Amino acid sequence: MPARRKARKRALDVLYEADLRDKPPVEVLAGYVQRIEQPRPEHLGYAVSLVEGIAEHLNRIDELIASYAEGWTLERMPVVDRNLARIAVYELLYVDEIDDAVAISEAVELARQMSTDDSPRFLNGVLGRIAEYATR
């Protein structure tokens, strides 16, 4: 598994736990990092930057997802999908070195592995619309 995909998976784990426990992502991240044994994996830095960035911009990210997820509220989305969308939208808006197509395809691939049969298509559509908005 490529390093950035591992980082996204770790970030998803933290965001998922924060979402389910209704805790701030950065608080859950601190406990998560503390539990990781030394030597820490190389990709941990990117995972930490994803979670911290998403936490910092969460309101804007959620606003965009809610606006572009036609017929779906954030609360109705599966927890995995909601958090994969958050990761991808953060990368689309705030991580210049990640191409939009890569951010979207990574979210779709992780959804294919970890969520419902409809999730990859749903995320691809929502994230594609957000990417179009972001490039204007």
Side-chain angles (χ1 to χ4, degrees), residues 4-101:
R4 287 218 168 140
R5 184 170 297 162
K6 288 180 185 176
R8 289 178 186 98
K9 171 73 175 73
R10 284 191 186 263
L12 176 61
D13 291 345
V14 170
L15 294 170
Y16 184 91
E17 180 180 340
D19 212 339
L20 287 181
R21 295 177 63 206
D22 198 26
K23 296 216 175 224
V26 176
E27 181 182 315
V28 174
L29 176 65
Y32 190 83
V33 169
Q34 194 173 22
R35 291 189 302 269
I36 296 175
E37 294 181 18
Q38 300 288 348
R40 293 191 168 143
E42 280 181 36
H43 61 270
L44 184 61
Y46 189 62
V48 168
S49 71
L50 285 173
V51 173
E52 290 175 345
I54 291 163
E56 181 179 342
H57 300 284
L58 187 60
N59 290 336
R60 177 72 179 131
I61 291 168
D62 281 357
E63 175 186 302
L64 280 171
I65 295 168
S67 295
Y68 286 90
E70 298 165 358
W72 285 85
T73 63
L74 281 169
E75 296 77 27
R76 247 186 87 213
M77 287 178 202
V79 177
V80 170
D81 295 1
R82 178 172 51 239
N83 286 295
L84 284 172
R86 287 172 173 159
I87 292 167
V89 170
Y90 175 75
E91 288 183 323
L92 289 169
L93 298 180
Y94 303 104
V95 184
D96 293 335
E97 68 265 16
I98 302 290
D99 291 335
D100 290 358

Side-chain angles (χ1 to χ4, degrees), residues 65 68-69 81 84-90 92 100 103-108 120-134:
I65 295 168
Y68 286 90
D81 295 1
L84 284 172
R86 287 172 173 159
I87 292 167
V89 170
Y90 175 75
L92 289 169
D100 290 358
I104 294 168
S105 67
E106 286 292 315
V108 168
R121 189 182 62 211
F122 169 74
L123 283 173
N124 192 50
V126 171
L127 297 173
R129 289 189 292 276
I130 293 172
E132 284 179 25
Y133 157 81

